[in-house]
Amino acid sequence: MATVPPVTQQIIRNQQGSPKPPVNLQISDVEGCLVLDRRGDRIPFRRLFEDKKSIIIFVRNFLCYACKEYVEDLTKIPKRVLTDADVRLIVIGQASHWHIEPFCTLTRYPHEIYVDPERHIYNKLGMRRGETFMESASRSPHVKSSLLMGSAKSMWRAMMSPAFDFQGDPLQQGGAVIVGPGSEVHFAHFDMNRLDHMPINWLLQLAGVETVDFIDERRIIHV
C-alpha cells in the first residue's frame, strides 16, 4: 500500500472544505521552549515528540467552556488505541501548573498534559490572539453549550476558584499539530475562535489512530 505523504498545511474548516494555503511551520523554533508538568517540573518541548508521533492540542485557557467540552471528548479516546498506533496525545494550556490537576479532575482527562504559562510556544508558532468569526466556519462538533450558557459557566468557575483569574490569557486562541518522531510536522491547524477546534476524529485519522464514536449513548425514548 502506498504511503500517504504528510500534510503540512494550515487548515481552515468551512462548509466548502477549501483549505488555506500552506504555512511555514518551523517546529525547530520552539523545540527548546520549556513546558511545565503537574508538579511544576520543566521539560523541553521537543521531548514530547522526539521519539514518536504526537497529537498536540493547544487550548485557549482552562476556564474556557469550549476547551473544557473539547477536552471532555478527548477523554473518550481509549489509551489502547493510542498505544496500538504508537502515538502520544498531549494537551497544552497556558495557565499556571497549579491549575492542571483541577482541570483534569473536572474533565476526567487521563492523558498527558502540560502548560506554557508564558505562552512562548503559542507566540512563536504564531497562534492567533483575538477571535475571528466567519459565516462559513463550521462549529466544533465537540462543543455542546451555547455561547451565552458557556460564558456564564466559565464566569461562575472563575468566581468560585481560589484565585479569581481566567487561568490563561482569555484572548489567546489554541490549535493542534501532529508532529514527530523528530521535527517532522505532519499537520497544523490554528484556531480562529473558541469554536474552531479540529474535529478529534480528523486528527486521529491523520495520525493513523483508530477513530472513536463520540455520540452520546443516552437516547430519548418517546412514550
Side-chain angles (χ1 to χ4, degrees):
M1 182 180 294
T3 302
V4 179
V7 180
T8 56
Q9 65 180 24
Q10 163 77 11
I11 299 294
I12 288 182
R13 298 178 295 109
N14 57 37
Q15 293 173 349
Q16 290 75 33
S18 57
K20 190 176 179 181
V23 296
N24 183 22
L25 180 62
Q26 297 294 332
I27 204 72
S28 58
D29 293 343
V30 294
E31 287 182 343
C33 293
L34 299 175
V35 294
L36 280 65
D37 64 14
R38 300 166 189 252
R39 298 172 298 185
D41 293 335
R42 298 179 182 274
I43 300 169
F45 184 54
R46 64 177 174 272
R47 285 195 193 170
L48 306 186
F49 51 83
E50 63 184 356
D51 58 353
K52 66 173 58 179
K53 184 181 293 183
S54 297
I55 302 171
I56 304 177
I57 310 291
F58 293 85
V59 298
R60 294 179 69 243
N61 58 75
F62 287 160
L63 280 182
C64 171
Y65 73 93
C67 296
K68 169 185 173 290
E69 294 180 6
Y70 187 83
V71 172
E72 284 175 336
D73 271 1
L74 289 176
T75 68
K76 300 175 184 178
I77 301 174
K79 291 185 177 181
R80 171 189 57 80
V81 302
L82 297 169
T83 301
D84 290 347
D86 198 27
V87 170
R88 299 172 73 174
L89 175 62
I90 299 165
V91 166
I92 293 182
Q94 39 124 0
S96 165
H97 73 277
W98 296 109
H99 293 301
I100 292 179
E101 205 63 53
F103 183 71
C104 289
T105 299
L106 178 69
T107 59
R108 299 183 180 180
Y109 177 76
H111 307 293
E112 294 183 69
I113 184 168
Y114 303 91
V115 291
D116 173 23
E118 301 300 325
R119 296 188 293 121
H120 292 310
I121 300 173
Y122 287 79
N123 292 332
K124 288 187 177 182
L125 289 183
M127 293 187 196
R128 183 181 298 269
R129 189 171 183 272
E131 296 188 86
T132 299
F133 289 90
M134 300 172 61
E135 290 184 2
S136 60
S138 56
R139 178 187 175 93
S140 169
H142 305 286
V143 179
K144 294 83 177 175
S145 298
S146 66
L147 176 62
L148 179 61
M149 182 60 67
S151 298
K153 290 177 181 178
S154 296
M155 182 60 68
W156 178 255
R157 287 174 54 211
M159 293 173 62
M160 292 297 101
S161 63
F164 186 90
D165 64 58
F166 286 93
Q167 301 182 22
D169 183 345
L171 295 179
Q172 179 65 57
Q173 304 306 308
V177 298
I178 301 175
V179 59
S183 300
E184 182 178 7
V185 179
H186 304 276
F187 174 82
H189 167 83
F190 296 158
D191 302 339
M192 297 181 65
N193 55 66
R194 72 192 68 186
L195 303 178
D196 192 35
H197 301 112
M198 279 297 297
I200 295 170
N201 273 336
W202 290 18
L203 292 173
L204 295 178
Q205 286 182 324
L206 288 167
V209 179
E210 179 183 336
T211 57
V212 176
D213 183 4
F214 292 104
I215 299 176
D216 194 329
E217 294 181 356
R218 291 173 295 178
R219 296 289 186 270
I220 298 177
I221 300 176
H222 297 281
V223 179

